[in-house]
Amino acid sequence: MAAYLFRRLLLVIPTLWAIITINFFIIQVAPGGPVEQAIAQMEGLESGMLNRITGGGNAAETAVIEEASNTGYKGSRGLDPEVVEEIKKQFGFDKPIHVRYFEMLKNYVTFNFGESYLKAAT
């Protein structure tokens, strides 16, 4: 019985690694990452997921988004390139994907889950 439990506990490690890896690559490939969200928030064009699904939003937002899709990177609309690079550096998107992946794994192993944006009430 102890050998069975030990084997099952050892299987947790590759299972967690596979889940973390799949999650990381899905998040990295999905459009609308944290850089684009931060830029949209700075410009006041932030729209929630519900607005996207229901077709909410005004015509000005739609025109800006259509214009940005014609020029390339959606996040660069109307902002200085230095600001965009600073945001990329803040979130670590200035590094190659494999470096970000191994840094994430190292942080998880050392229980470093990043900085909290919510301050605890004291």
Side-chain angles (χ1 to χ4, degrees):
M1 182 67 175
Y4 173 76
L5 284 174
F6 183 70
R7 279 194 322 243
R8 299 306 287 177
L9 287 175
L10 282 179
L11 284 175
V12 168
I13 295 169
T15 304
L16 282 176
W17 174 76
I19 291 169
I20 288 170
T21 301
I22 291 169
N23 184 38
F24 175 81
F25 286 109
I26 287 174
I27 296 299
Q28 297 300 312
V29 175
V35 174
E36 291 172 342
Q37 289 177 3
I39 291 171
Q41 202 171 34
M42 288 175 64
E43 292 182 340
L45 297 176
E46 182 180 16
S47 64
M49 183 57 72
L50 187 58
N51 287 343
R52 293 181 197 166
I53 293 171
T54 61
N58 58 27
E61 287 181 13
T62 307
V64 169
I65 291 171
E66 287 174 1
E67 177 185 332
S69 64
N70 294 336
T71 60
Y73 179 62
K74 292 180 184 179
S76 64
R77 58 182 180 256
L79 286 179
D80 292 332
E82 296 87 25
V83 174
V84 175
E85 290 302 317
E86 183 180 321
I87 293 172
K88 284 184 181 180
K89 186 174 182 178
Q90 176 186 358
F91 289 106
F93 283 95
D94 58 336
K95 301 174 187 168
I97 193 166
H98 67 280
V99 172
R100 293 192 309 252
Y101 175 71
F102 287 117
E103 282 182 0
M104 180 201 67
L105 287 179
K106 180 187 74 125
N107 288 337
Y108 283 170
V109 168
T110 59
F111 295 103
N112 179 7
F113 300 117
E115 296 179 18
S116 174
Y117 291 109
L118 302 175
K119 302 291 182 194
T122 56

